[in-house]
Amino acid sequence: MTEEGIIYKELEWLNQFINYILPDKAKDESEESDGVENSETISPPAVPPQPVPLADYAALRGKGVYVVDLLFELTFSERLVLALTLAQYVAPEIYQKLIVEKNMKQSLVIGGVNFHHSYQGFIPTIETAIYLLSHCDEGGHVKFSIKLKMLKLFDANSTLINKNIIQLESGEGTLPYTASALKVNPFVLNKILWNESYIPALSSSFPAEKISTHQDWDDMVVNRKTEKQLEEILSWVNQRNAMRSVPAVARKVLPGYRALFYGPSGTGKTLASTLIGKLTGMEVYRVDLSKLVSKYIGETEKNLKQVFDIAEQHEWILFFDEGDAIFGKRSETSSSNDRYANQEVSYLLQRVERFPGTVIVATNFKTNLDKAFLRRFQTLVHFPSPSEETRKMLWERVFNDEIPKDGEFDFKFFAKNFELTGANIVNVLQQAMVLGFEENEGLIGKPQLTRALTRELNKLDKLDTKTERKLIYEYEECC
């Protein structure tokens, strides 16, 4: 059976279930009033229709069919809630009887909301799910005890909510909790419908974006101490599941791994993070702090929760660039703003500590971070400004044999005389290549390289008369 067939069966069961709850009484009554016997009316079943037995899907379990593995995690009631929520995306016609019943009787217990005036469809709520399930358990009579039992399906510890399968979308703040609309998590929806991963767009509600690199580990030039520390992080990521399988270790060691990368801009912190993801087969998401931090009370924590919950579910590596903006030192609480800012930092501390995956925080200045954060990092990796020897390696790697050059260059001269980072040298390559295409048939010659380097030094305020003379005249003489 295909994913499409499985989804169809689940929705067919939902449709039968709604017909069981709301049989076509209107048709029966109209035909009886005309004195005509209704021989075609299908009587509802005496007992609630049952879903397809999980045994029928057993052959596909554990073979990469997401929807099958998901169904095996769910109870009868949870399967019905999932089917009810899923119908709005692929089979909204299933809601027709619920819409008619609600409009005819103005029934509050059926629930259903419409947050957007331009959308005329039906969006199920917690009330809708409870209405169906309560009828199932009590033959059509909603009992208070059953309603309380059904509400447990939507608390923070339930499978559907805790595993972020179903999301609750609240309307106006004055509406009761049970009026929350049911939505399928976009990541889960993509996996159910197409068995594909969903890559969310960067937004205020999801302040993170996927980052990757075409470079390899050999392209990264750092000193041996830094490289050794990065290899330790790789080892943890590769062995994380093995460590969790040892109960004695799992009880004593906090879940996850937290690393701080600190050092000047352009020294390889972001590249190292993306390469760790590339080598371990894990996706790296960079948290955009400009979209994460909100001026509204509670919104920053809400945005953080969204990122951490989804990252935990998909085993992403979270990368916080310029982390001191959010991981900074807590201040004295002299005002309400200070108090809320400190609450955000405290919440972040808790989420980072509980996160079972890898968190990498990058900052230019380690001293700007709160000491409480520093204690929680397993590794502090220093990315220093490159030494002369490292700079020479960077020049050689960036301007390697694959780069179209018009002649040979003395990279030892550049490394000795100009204190540039890897990012600066890449900028020189980009500008020199543009000049090469404009002036030298796509080749980088001495004039192009010299002018590109001059511009980069000028941008960094490192170009004075002495430097320029050294760059132009000494380089021409020696090279």
Side-chain angles (χ1 to χ4, degrees):
M1 188 180 295
T2 63
E3 292 98 327
E4 181 180 335
I6 295 167
I7 297 166
Y8 178 82
K9 289 290 185 183
E10 293 295 304
L11 293 174
E12 185 180 45
W13 167 50
L14 170 66
N15 193 39
Q16 293 170 358
F17 205 99
I18 293 175
N19 286 330
Y20 164 77
I21 300 299
L22 299 171
D24 198 351
K25 295 177 182 177
K27 183 178 180 182
D28 293 345
E29 292 170 358
S30 64
E31 291 183 347
E32 285 175 6
S33 65
D34 293 338
V36 178
E37 184 180 350
N38 180 17
S39 60
E40 297 180 359
T41 301
I42 301 174
S43 299
V47 294
Q50 298 298 306
V52 174
L54 291 176
D56 291 7
Y57 301 148
L60 294 173
R61 191 179 185 188
K63 295 185 177 179
V65 182
Y66 177 84
V67 66
V68 169
D69 294 336
L70 176 60
L71 291 177
F72 269 88
E73 294 182 27
L74 305 180
T75 64
F76 176 98
S77 298
E78 290 164 347
R79 282 178 73 175
L80 189 71
V81 172
L82 179 61
L84 175 68
T85 310
L86 187 62
Q88 65 187 286
Y89 303 96
V90 290
E93 64 277 7
I94 289 177
Y95 300 141
Q96 188 59 43
K97 279 196 173 183
L98 293 171
I99 297 171
V100 171
E101 181 79 2
K102 181 174 182 179
N103 291 339
M104 285 179 60
K105 298 184 178 180
Q106 295 295 308
S107 177
L108 297 176
V109 294
I110 289 179
V113 295
N114 183 0
F115 290 140
H116 307 286
H117 297 296
S118 60
Y119 179 65
Q120 300 302 314
F122 181 87
I123 303 174
T125 62
I126 293 176
E127 289 165 340
T128 313
I130 291 175
Y131 173 75
L132 296 179
L133 290 166
S134 298
H135 277 68
C136 163
D137 284 358
E138 292 296 320
H141 302 290
V142 180
K143 284 192 174 181
F144 184 70
S145 60
I146 295 300
K147 191 166 188 177
L148 289 181
K149 178 183 175 183
M150 293 302 115
L151 275 173
K152 292 291 289 182
L153 290 170
F154 305 98
D155 71 16
N157 296 317
S158 68
T159 301
L160 292 173
I161 305 302
N162 183 261
K163 294 195 173 183
N164 212 16
I165 299 168
I166 298 295
Q167 296 177 332
L168 305 179
E169 183 178 327
S170 301
E172 299 175 11
T174 55
L175 291 177
Y177 171 69
T178 50
S180 299
L182 303 178
K183 297 284 187 177
V184 180
N185 180 324
F187 295 87
V188 174
L189 183 64
N190 263 48
K191 294 291 283 185
I192 289 176
L193 298 182
W194 303 289
N195 214 31
E196 295 176 355
S197 296
Y198 169 71
I199 300 178
L202 178 67
S203 65
S204 57
S205 60
F206 187 80
E209 60 180 340
K210 184 179 178 180
I211 57 174
S212 58
T213 181
H214 295 297
Q215 299 191 68
D216 297 315
W217 193 261
D218 291 339
D219 295 317
M220 183 176 61
V221 180
V222 292
N223 62 48
R224 180 55 192 152
K225 181 180 178 181
T226 301
E227 185 177 11
K228 186 174 178 59
Q229 289 179 304
L230 295 175
E231 289 170 352
E232 290 174 3
I233 299 174
L234 281 173
S235 297
W236 183 88
V237 175
N238 287 324
Q239 304 301 329
R240 65 192 185 281
N241 292 327
M243 286 183 60
R244 292 171 188 164
S245 66
V246 181
V249 175
R251 286 196 303 269
K252 297 176 182 177
V253 178
L254 289 173
Y257 195 92
R258 293 156 289 280
L260 173 68
F261 292 177
Y262 67 98
S265 298
T267 50
K269 299 185 292 293
T270 302
L271 176 61
S273 302
T274 53
L275 286 173
I276 288 171
K278 186 175 183 178
L279 289 180
T280 57
M282 300 177 70
E283 294 179 341
V284 181
Y285 272 74
R286 175 168 52 199
V287 179
D288 188 324
L289 297 174
S290 66
K291 294 187 180 298
L292 172 67
V293 179
S294 173
K295 64 181 179 180
Y296 298 106
I297 297 171
E299 282 297 307
T300 298
E301 290 90 335
K302 180 181 176 182
N303 293 343
L304 274 169
K305 183 180 186 304
Q306 171 88 336
V307 173
F308 274 102
D309 286 348
I310 296 175
E312 182 173 341
Q313 186 177 359
H314 294 82
E315 293 197 320
W316 291 342
I317 295 173
L318 287 182
F319 176 63
F320 290 82
D321 201 4
E322 299 181 4
D324 42 332
I326 185 69
F327 292 83
K329 294 179 178 179
R330 283 172 283 193
S331 58
E332 296 293 330
T333 54
S334 58
S335 68
S336 59
N337 288 338
D338 293 334
R339 214 165 30 246
Y340 292 128
N342 289 345
Q343 286 177 10
E344 292 171 357
V345 175
S346 298
Y347 178 79
L348 188 55
L349 266 172
Q350 297 168 14
R351 286 313 304 254
V352 167
E353 195 167 59
R354 296 201 315 265
F355 185 62
T358 306
V359 174
I360 299 174
V361 178
T363 178
N364 294 346
F365 306 102
K366 183 179 71 170
T367 53
N368 288 350
L369 266 67
D370 193 297
K371 288 184 178 179
F373 277 111
L374 292 177
R375 287 197 301 271
R376 285 165 169 81
F377 289 116
Q378 276 95 338
T379 302
L380 305 181
V381 185
H382 185 207
F383 287 76
S385 296
S387 63
E388 181 180 334
E389 180 183 355
T390 305
R391 291 197 295 270
K392 180 175 180 293
M393 291 175 63
L394 283 167
W395 278 103
E396 291 171 345
R397 296 280 177 88
V398 173
F399 286 84
N400 57 35
D401 293 339
E402 296 178 356
I403 303 299
K405 300 188 289 288
D406 185 9
E408 296 296 325
F409 304 121
D410 184 1
F411 295 122
K412 184 177 181 180
F413 173 85
F414 293 140
K416 179 180 180 181
N417 290 283
F418 308 109
E419 296 183 2
L420 299 177
T421 65
N424 298 142
I425 296 171
V426 171
N427 289 342
V428 173
L429 170 64
Q430 181 179 0
Q431 184 59 43
M433 198 71 251
V434 170
L435 294 172
F437 277 111
E438 287 184 349
E439 305 169 353
N440 198 28
E441 298 180 348
L443 300 175
I444 298 176
K446 289 181 181 178
Q448 290 78 39
L449 181 58
T450 301
R451 284 162 55 202
L453 180 54
T454 302
R455 292 185 186 184
E456 185 67 16
L457 291 169
N458 189 55
K459 183 183 76 176
L460 299 170
D461 291 327
K462 291 185 177 181
L463 190 63
D464 52 26
T465 306
K466 180 180 178 181
T467 303
E468 190 170 4
R469 189 183 306 116
K470 180 182 293 186
L471 172 63
I472 298 173
Y473 297 106
E474 290 188 22
Y475 177 67
E476 290 294 339
E477 276 186 29
C478 77
C479 308

